[in-house]
Amino acid sequence: MKVNPYVKQVKQTLPRILAMFDVDQTNKSYGLGDRYYWAWGLIDFSNGTYQGATHGLARLWKCGLWPYKTSKEKFIQRIDAIFEGSGRLTRKNGSLEESFPNEGSFCVTALVAFDLVCTLELLKKEIDTETFERWQHIVRPMVSYLIVNNETHAIISNHLATAAAALVRWHRLTQEPDVEIRARQLIEDILKHQSSEGWFKEYEGADPGYQSLCTYYLSDIHIIRTDWNLLEPLRKSIQFLWHFAHPDGSFGGLYGSRCTRFYYPAGLEALAFDIPEAASLAHFMAQSITQNSVVTLNTMDDSNLIPMFNNYCCAAALWNNTQDEKKLLTLPALSSVSKQKQYKSAGLFIDSGHHHYTIIATNRGGVIYHFVEGKLVLRDAGVVVRDSRGRLGSTQGYNQDVCPVIEENSISIHAPIFSMPKRLPHPTQFIVLRLLCISLFRFSWTREWVKRLLVSLLITGTKPWPVFNRREIYLGQTLSIKDKLDLTSGYKVIKTLHEFVPIHMASQGYWQIHDEEEPRI
């Protein structure tokens, strides 16, 4: 591949990014990027995530990929406005928000801190000392927040890695010892929850989509702090990850703990010279990006746009067209060798043959992705049941206690039906939430307790019903399924749905080209 695969989408998206920011210096919202707040006035707070766009913009500027005839003065003025806007958004405790006022978002504070510190480093020689110190002063409260606060509602490895990367970058800039200590603590927490199978924990288990993002932040740390010995954990991560690039170019899916199917390329590009599997996966997925075979930058909604934009900008800067394609390893999905591989703790089973590649989520009731001759011919999300009150349940609830019976040519999974905690917001709930935002949410313990409650209600709090399903999966190119439900009174099976998500997860469901095709055996 001789053409940089990331540049086209970056340049297509750049006008949208630039249009997000308020450039009217007479406005109090000057430098803010959340148009729902400053332009439309539809929400009462500004999502801080957009402020991180400085990183991608600075990366394009420094590596010669900026496509416009913008003067240096105008470019720096734009970046300066975003920094100033970030400072105005920062709460007294140093935090930023994504979902509601006084949220104290560990994730978004880490994201923006990382991106602003990267911008500081990239543009240090382009700005005067006064501007550099002023920008540094804006970031410092965010760093302070990350040092003394934790994300308590779940183990979300990519969030922890973002914070650690921000702190490592800040330490390189300032040499503040407490920053290094905290970064090391976060890394130890991530590695403590890394499975021996290589995956990093995202809520309840492994999620390839978010693991590609986590890998990016950890690779950034590894490049700066080789003495922290992250290469082997990263190698194990990628040796797990590359099994979930599919023959048709798609990546991840309903079998992941967060049901995501996007791919963040920069971490793999960064590690391509150190880890052979990273080079092979990066090369394969770069082709997928050019063909829209995977969820890409140009399909992102506003809330996830900036992190992926920055990632694509970094990948574009890292991309190397001197790679000898003949030396690349063959991805598992493209190998013609018949092989089976079980990731027991992740609840994932892979069966591959000369003509087929199959991924089965045993911890999710037997979710199946089945490819034949490189094409998806079956995507089965499981069984859906309705109870007498109209509520829905499915076999897809995450269940680590499942003990699948795996034989040479078949898998048997006996699992209960789990409730599907999906709901839409109601005006009354927003009224209650806003009252909490201006009162009890000013106390971190109350705020964090509510976050844990919301995660339980919407993501992890699935409950088993007194209904069971035995799924028999007969493996091979002509894969087949038999479901045998043990239904009690008041429960009814809904017609087979080939694709559904059982939980609330904002980052799932982005479009890719294969959505226009109907998989069928």
Side-chain angles (χ1 to χ4, degrees), residues 8 18 157 218 309 314 317 351 364 375 404 420 427 430 463:
K8 181 179 179 180
L18 298 178
S157 293
L218 292 179
F309 172 75
C314 291
D351 178 63
R364 300 183 75 90
K375 294 184 177 181
M420 294 205 289
F430 271 103
K463 299 183 183 303

Side-chain angles (χ1 to χ4, degrees), residues 8-19:
K8 181 179 179 180
Q9 289 209 18
V10 165
K11 289 183 177 180
Q12 287 175 341
T13 308
L14 184 56
R16 178 181 168 194
I17 301 287
L18 298 178

Side-chain angles (χ1 to χ4, degrees), residues 274-287:
D274 294 323
I275 302 173
E277 293 87 351
S280 301
L281 180 57
H283 178 79
F284 177 75
M285 293 307 300
Q287 297 177 74

Side-chain angles (χ1 to χ4, degrees), residues 342-366:
Q342 182 184 14
Y343 289 107
K344 191 172 181 179
S345 65
L348 294 169
F349 180 85
I350 299 166
D351 178 63
S352 59
H354 188 68
H355 298 285
H356 74 278
Y357 193 75
T358 307
I359 299 172
I360 300 170
T362 58
N363 282 2
R364 300 183 75 90

Side-chain angles (χ1 to χ4, degrees), residues 22-38:
D22 186 358
V23 296
D24 185 345
Q25 296 185 47
T26 65
N27 288 341
K28 293 180 180 180
S29 54
Y30 177 60
L32 300 188
D34 188 346
R35 291 189 66 93
Y36 284 109
Y37 175 67
W38 71 261

Side-chain angles (χ1 to χ4, degrees), residues 364-409:
R364 300 183 75 90
V367 171
I368 301 170
Y369 278 55
H370 181 55
F371 301 84
V372 175
E373 304 292 357
K375 294 184 177 181
L376 180 67
V377 297
L378 177 67
R379 178 180 53 233
D380 192 296
V383 177
V384 178
V385 173
R386 190 190 305 277
D387 72 3
S388 58
R389 295 170 56 185
R391 298 174 301 182
L392 297 179
S394 80
T395 51
Q396 213 184 123
Y398 194 81
N399 185 5
Q400 286 185 306
D401 296 327
V402 164
C403 295
V405 178
I406 300 176
E407 299 181 358
E408 184 178 355
N409 297 311

Side-chain angles (χ1 to χ4, degrees), residues 113-175:
F114 173 78
D115 290 326
L116 294 183
V117 176
C118 288
T119 306
L120 272 166
E121 292 186 311
L122 285 165
L123 299 181
K124 185 175 183 179
K125 295 181 180 179
E126 308 282 336
I127 57 178
D128 56 40
T129 302
E130 185 275 329
T131 302
F132 181 81
E133 291 177 352
R134 181 162 46 84
W135 288 3
Q136 203 172 12
H137 179 73
I138 289 168
V139 182
R140 186 176 298 278
M142 303 176 199
V143 172
S144 299
Y145 183 82
L146 297 176
I147 291 173
V148 299
N149 287 273
N150 292 297
E151 190 166 61
T152 63
H153 56 275
I155 296 298
I156 309 173
S157 293
N158 84 86
H159 293 182
L160 301 179
T162 309
L167 295 174
V168 167
R169 288 264 185 174
W170 183 261
H171 177 259
R172 182 165 71 173
L173 207 60
T174 66
Q175 296 301 306

